[in-house]
Amino acid sequence: MTRLLQPSEPPPLEAVNPDGKSDFVLVCEHAGRQIPRALGDLGLPESELLRHIAWDVGARDISLGLSRLLDAPLFMQIYSRLVCDCNRRPDVATFIPEMSETTFIPGNIGLTREDRERREKEIFWPFHDHVASVLDARRRAGRKTLLITIHTFTPVFKGVARPWEIGVLFNRDRHFSHAVLDYLRSNTHYDVGENQPYSVGDETDYAIPVHGEARNLPCVEIEIRNDLTSGAAAGEWAMLIARAVTHAAALQPAS
């Protein structure tokens, strides 16, 4: 099988503060918008590749700030979700989207099985295998771990305005995530969504169900509206999330 990534291209994983002493582990699956050179521009103009369809605008800066504040290891995926969505299982249709919102992705249409497997093998699995190895090593060492994933969302989706400014997403976790939600609603004036604008599920997500829930880790996905993340706002979001998750972690039952 011909390789997708050339030797001069970076691996999909960017690890920041991997030896951080925190109980928190941070994951940002949509931090970057790079496209392997072999795929060109996926048939899209640069203006499309700057949009949310290509990456979570603002999520990287928020994640970096949060990692610094918590002294937490952070694992970010640098390639565009249009290449493959690292928050989807490889066997679901949206793993390599042929359409994102209302935009067709010409470079994703008519892919062969080998094309799909190449993206999975060189981007998806190296990223998630590393995250899994870190979490498993922490468990063997007896280290407490709480998993947080950071995402952003658009203020308007397919013509429908979204009122929420921050969302707390969860599935099976009913303690840590709810404590984060309660903190944000009690201590801010933001419109805080509960499983809004998305919800977490086995079919629509990967990191929380597989890395968090399958290991019985306290886990939560945070979504911030991306029109509120530019400049100094990213640091302010990081500080707020740090306070919320630290408060919620203190309420966790002793293991």
Side-chain angles (χ1 to χ4, degrees):
M1 183 184 295
T2 305
R3 287 191 58 83
L4 172 65
L5 297 178
Q6 299 176 19
S8 59
E9 292 183 286
L13 171 76
E14 180 181 358
V16 175
N17 194 25
D19 299 321
K21 305 304 182 186
S22 175
D23 291 338
F24 299 105
V25 171
L26 311 178
V27 173
C28 186
E29 306 98 308
H30 302 147
R33 62 181 191 91
Q34 294 192 48
I35 297 176
R37 287 195 289 273
L39 302 181
D41 54 16
L42 293 174
L44 295 170
E46 180 67 11
S47 58
E48 294 289 349
L49 298 176
L50 292 171
R51 292 179 52 216
H52 184 82
I53 64 170
W55 63 324
D56 275 0
V57 176
R60 174 185 170 83
D61 289 342
I62 294 169
S63 298
L64 287 169
L66 190 58
S67 174
R68 287 191 295 269
L69 290 166
L70 297 174
D71 189 23
L74 165 62
F75 304 100
M76 298 188 289
Q77 202 286 111
I78 69 167
Y79 288 98
S80 172
R81 67 162 127 238
L82 297 178
V83 176
C84 65
D85 191 330
C86 283
N87 196 32
R88 299 289 186 273
R89 294 198 326 251
D91 62 339
V92 302
T94 53
F95 176 64
I96 300 177
E98 294 186 356
M99 174 179 280
S100 183
E101 195 167 344
T102 60
T103 301
F104 281 103
I105 316 301
N108 288 346
I109 295 173
L111 298 183
T112 66
R113 180 175 178 179
E114 184 178 84
D115 292 332
R116 297 180 65 88
E117 289 178 350
R118 192 158 36 230
R119 300 189 196 188
E120 182 180 336
K121 179 180 178 181
E122 296 189 41
I123 295 177
F124 181 88
W125 286 118
F127 176 75
H128 282 297
D129 284 349
H130 186 89
V131 173
S133 70
V134 168
L135 296 174
D136 291 343
R138 290 174 68 97
R139 172 165 287 178
R140 288 193 298 272
R143 292 188 64 180
K144 180 180 178 181
T145 299
L146 302 93
L147 179 67
I148 303 168
T149 68
I150 300 296
H151 295 259
T152 64
F153 64 96
T154 56
V156 178
F157 182 71
K158 293 185 177 180
V160 179
R162 291 160 154 175
W164 314 283
E165 293 152 307
I166 182 171
V168 177
L169 280 55
F170 54 88
N171 186 16
R172 296 174 180 89
D173 183 292
R174 290 291 190 272
H175 197 281
F176 176 59
S177 56
H178 282 212
V180 173
L181 178 67
D182 291 344
Y183 179 90
L184 292 171
R185 285 181 166 171
S186 298
N187 293 276
T188 76
H189 297 293
Y190 289 123
D191 189 331
V192 183
E194 178 177 349
N195 277 332
Q196 294 289 355
Y198 311 106
S199 59
V200 174
D202 295 339
E203 295 292 327
T204 56
D205 296 83
Y206 190 89
I208 292 295
V210 173
H211 293 313
E213 294 174 342
R215 291 177 173 81
N216 291 316
L217 297 177
C219 52
V220 67
E221 180 176 325
I222 302 294
E223 290 268 0
I224 301 102
R225 211 173 72 198
N226 69 13
D227 62 324
L228 305 174
T229 63
S230 61
E236 294 168 1
W237 282 116
M239 287 189 286
L240 174 59
I241 295 166
R243 292 194 298 270
V245 299
T246 300
H247 170 83
L251 300 178
Q252 287 293 291
S255 56

